Amino acid sequence: MKGLTILGSTGSIGMSTLDVVARHRDKYRIVALTANRDVDGMLVQCERFTPEIAVMADTDSASRLAKGLSQRSIATEVLSGLRGLEIAASIPSAEIVMAAIVGAAGLLPTLAAVRAGKRLLLANKEALVVAGHLFMGEVEAHGAEILPIDSEHNAVFQCMPDDTREGLKHCGVKRILLTASGGPFRTLPLEALATVTPSQACAHPNWEMGRKISVDSATMMNKGLEVIEAHWLFHAEPEKIRVVLHPQSIIHSMVEYVDGSVLAQLGNPDMRTPIAHALAWPHRIESGVGSLDLFEVARLDFDQPDLQRFPCLRLAYQAIQAGGTACAILNAANEVAVDAFLSERLAFIGIAAVVEETLQRIPVQPAEDLETLLDTDRQARVVAEQVMQNRVSSSGIS
Ligand code: NAD
Ligand code: MG
């Protein structure tokens, strides 16, 4: 029986993880669950999985949760804040930690799991985008094990040789082909992008996900973040990572070898597959995902990404080439801009513009230590807000 902590258990990945765990109660035991402010969602999960601890982001949510638990006579201990998240991430009774908080908010708790030497199921790609170099150094130093949950990276992991630490060339890999659906606006006339709404952006054609990653998929910043993620996870130079538009989301990514072989991982677009893979690796367990019906799929299409339609993808490649704190700036500006778009303070096409201008305004520094990265994250959020203010005051619209 393996103990499991889920950071971000009330979200899309968190709930899919609990769905897989519920199918294997003989193999996995929930030790800790964490959420932001969804007290009702957390109460339901605690009732069903009786974790040792549950963590809420703030003290108010935590005390409401504690009250609800005591009314139901559930003995789960309630903690709050960053300290609570770090305790959940490093608790000795959990061998496995699912990192599924969204955004840079997940960085410190995810790092706590790394430093405790856990098997880390990494969904929180922003943690690697902000602090990739430092993060991978900590993984090495503490003997942690990372299994990628992002469907593309999980697919690449399944198609890769065992050890890529010496670099791709060393193990005969020519390049990584990261597939991308192109999101809901792949074929929308360019001029219509100016007026798309948050609900249109969140209506992904193939995947059901949280709102932030759904918007990232619509701008293709998600794929940009994934290029950065792949760079760190697989020790791959950015020019060895190619993005391939594949609207059906059936091939989750591919690895091309020097002998001309291309290995792909296919499956229905359902995150329970990579979750089950990573939970049980190197074994296989059922995930609840149905068989892929190739006759129903019938065809698989591929295309080049259009960088005019998707400037965020270009910005992400530029940030990784710039190195240092550039990816932390890119990520923070994107989080601020996406949040503003979701609350209808910024137009969809303003997202890339805000990220680009924030990158132009902040000088890139070497990203040696956590303090520098956290300072950069804070600074980029302030600058991105200023950029948005200026856009509104100079044009009257965002
Ligand atoms: P989501 O918004 O559905 O869930 C996020 C979870 O994090 C929730 O439990 C929420 O309560 C918690 N949370 C949010 N802000 C927090 C904060 N400040 N402090 C503490 N907890 C906080 O997001 P999601 O779609 O499940 O995505 C989670 C992560 O997984 C993201 O990094 C995303 O990029 C990645 N990912 C998601 C999918 C998917 O299919 N949803 C696929 C690949 C990767
Ligand atoms: Mg992905």
Side-chain angles (χ1 to χ4, degrees):
M1 187 81 112
K2 293 208 161 100
L4 172 67
T5 285
I6 305 178
L7 305 172
S9 62
T10 54
S12 164
I13 293 287
M15 289 193 290
S16 293
T17 306
L18 287 172
D19 183 280
V20 176
V21 166
R23 296 164 195 274
H24 303 280
R25 299 292 286 252
D26 56 325
K27 291 190 175 71
Y28 305 102
R29 185 175 62 88
I30 297 295
V31 171
L33 296 175
T34 87
N36 198 13
R37 295 200 176 81
D38 181 2
V39 174
D40 293 339
M42 182 56 94
L43 262 179
V44 171
Q45 294 184 349
C46 287
E47 214 161 6
R48 187 155 178 224
F49 293 95
T50 55
E52 290 170 30
I53 62 173
V55 184
M56 303 302 295
D58 57 77
T59 47
D60 177 53
S61 310
S63 56
R64 284 192 293 128
L65 177 66
K67 196 168 158 209
L69 288 171
S70 96
Q71 280 165 354
R72 290 167 180 75
S73 309
I74 300 167
T76 299
E77 184 187 351
V78 180
L79 303 173
S80 66
L82 177 60
R83 186 74 200 111
L85 287 171
E86 289 179 337
I87 291 171
S90 56
I91 192 166
S93 46
E95 295 154 77
I96 309 175
V97 175
M98 163 61 82
I101 292 175
V102 59
L107 173 61
L108 294 177
T110 304
L111 264 181
V114 167
R115 288 173 174 157
K118 305 291 187 191
R119 165 174 287 201
L120 182 72
L121 277 44
L122 184 69
N124 178 212
K125 66 190 88 183
E126 295 91 345
L128 264 189
V129 170
V130 174
H133 182 67
L134 182 136
F135 196 99
M136 295 308 286
E138 296 285 36
V139 168
E140 258 320 283
H142 297 277
E145 181 183 35
I146 300 194
L147 288 154
I149 293 300
D150 220 341
S151 58
E152 297 77 4
H153 304 72
N154 185 271
V156 169
F157 180 88
Q158 294 196 46
C159 299
M160 272 283 184
D162 282 348
D163 193 352
T164 59
R165 270 176 302 181
E166 302 291 322
L168 296 188
K169 203 171 170 190
H170 193 78
C171 45
V173 172
K174 195 166 180 184
R175 54 186 181 167
I176 291 171
L177 303 169
L178 275 191
T179 52
S181 70
F185 306 141
R186 184 176 53 90
T187 56
L188 196 73
L190 278 183
E191 55 283 5
L193 283 178
T195 54
V196 296
T197 64
S199 56
Q200 287 172 304
C202 289
H204 196 282
N206 308 334
W207 298 94
E208 270 183 56
M209 309 180 285
R211 280 161 71 78
K212 192 259 178 184
I213 185 176
S214 297
V215 176
D216 284 348
S217 299
T219 61
M220 278 193 82
M221 179 59 94
N222 183 50
K223 211 49 53 179
L225 302 179
E226 290 184 358
V227 169
I228 301 167
E229 184 185 10
H231 163 69
W232 292 115
L233 285 176
F234 304 113
H235 312 277
E237 301 88 341
E239 58 280 7
K240 298 277 170 64
I241 307 167
R242 171 168 243 202
V243 173
V244 178
L245 276 190
H246 166 48
Q248 291 91 355
S249 300
I250 295 297
I251 296 183
H252 299 306
S253 277
M254 296 170 263
V255 174
E256 181 182 340
Y257 285 81
V258 287
D259 61 6
S261 300
V262 178
L263 302 193
Q265 186 258 357
L266 288 74
N268 287 322
D270 188 319
M271 290 308 293
R272 291 176 301 175
T273 294
I275 291 167
H277 169 267
L279 266 176
W281 188 82
H283 307 290
R284 297 272 179 175
I285 55 171
E286 285 199 23
S287 64
V289 178
S291 285
L292 176 62
D293 185 342
L294 283 172
F295 302 111
E296 197 188 316
V297 174
R299 58 180 282 177
L300 301 173
D301 293 295
F302 306 98
D303 205 348
Q304 308 254 16
D306 170 356
L307 293 185
Q308 198 195 340
R309 179 181 293 274
F310 299 116
C312 286
L313 186 55
R314 166 177 59 79
L315 293 172
Y317 269 104
Q318 284 169 359
I320 192 140
Q321 296 290 1
T325 50
C327 292
I329 301 169
L330 172 98
N331 179 71
N334 182 58
E335 286 191 29
V336 169
V338 169
D339 192 57
F341 168 68
L342 283 171
S343 52
E344 300 187 39
R345 291 182 288 123
L346 181 70
F348 181 77
I349 50 173
I351 297 173
V354 168
V355 173
E356 181 149 33
E357 196 172 334
T358 306
L359 277 163
Q360 282 161 359
R361 286 198 192 189
I362 304 176
V364 173
Q365 296 174 52
E368 309 280 301
D369 56 280
L370 195 54
E371 224 19 75
T372 306
L373 292 163
L374 295 176
D375 278 350
T376 303
D377 176 81
R378 277 188 288 269
Q379 185 194 7
R381 283 167 201 273
V382 173
V383 172
E385 286 290 353
Q386 283 165 357
V387 170
M388 288 195 300
Q389 294 290 333
N390 292 350
R391 285 170 65 83
V392 173
S393 48
S394 67
S395 66
I397 51 156
S398 50

